[in-house]
Every structure is written in C-alpha cells, then in structure tokens.
Amino acid sequence: TNGSGHGALADILKKGSIDTLICGGIGDGAKRALAEAGIDKDVKVKDWNDDQAGAVREIIAAQFKVE
C-alpha cells in the first residue's frame, strides 16, 4: 500500500506492539471463523475460555501469516 491505508495501519500497530485491533463490528470472515471455532460472536474475547482462545489461534495460524 506504499505507506498508506491498511498496510500503514498494520505497520504502526506492529511497531506499537499492538496485537489486535477491532473497529466497529466484525466482518463476515471473522464471523465464519468464530462459528468454525464454536464461539458465539456476542461473547467478549475477555470471556473466552482457554479452549476457545486456542481454537481461534489455530484458525489464524492456518489461514494467515503470523509474525
């Protein structure tokens, strides 16, 4: 993105050691991932148990480049 848009935001977040940022609602891909993990989309992340968090980590690792 030549230093603009989502690419620039991702770089800023990485430099700030920010792991996750969710703005507004969640998209269809995130909804599908939560459904695949068996997690109700209305449950807050802070309320996930270890199995739920692990399931999401596995999905992310399988589908995305994790740095």
Side-chain angles (χ1 to χ4, degrees), residues 22-47:
I22 298 176
C23 299
I26 62 173
D28 290 336
K31 289 176 186 174
R32 283 190 299 274
L34 290 174
E36 182 181 332
I39 301 172
D40 181 332
K41 66 178 177 52
D42 295 321
V43 175
K44 295 180 186 226
V45 174
K46 70 180 184 74
D47 295 327

Side-chain angles (χ1 to χ4, degrees):
T1 60
N2 296 323
S4 64
H6 289 102
L9 177 59
D11 190 46
I12 291 167
L13 296 174
K14 184 176 177 181
K15 287 178 181 175
S17 298
I18 298 170
D19 295 325
T20 305
L21 173 68
I22 298 176
C23 299
I26 62 173
D28 290 336
K31 289 176 186 174
R32 283 190 299 274
L34 290 174
E36 182 181 332
I39 301 172
D40 181 332
K41 66 178 177 52
D42 295 321
V43 175
K44 295 180 186 226
V45 174
K46 70 180 184 74
D47 295 327
W48 290 355
N49 62 38
D50 290 340
D51 290 338
Q52 291 169 316
V56 170
R57 282 190 198 95
E58 288 178 15
I59 292 168
I60 290 170
Q63 297 182 15
F64 302 96
K65 178 182 175 186
V66 178
E67 296 183 10

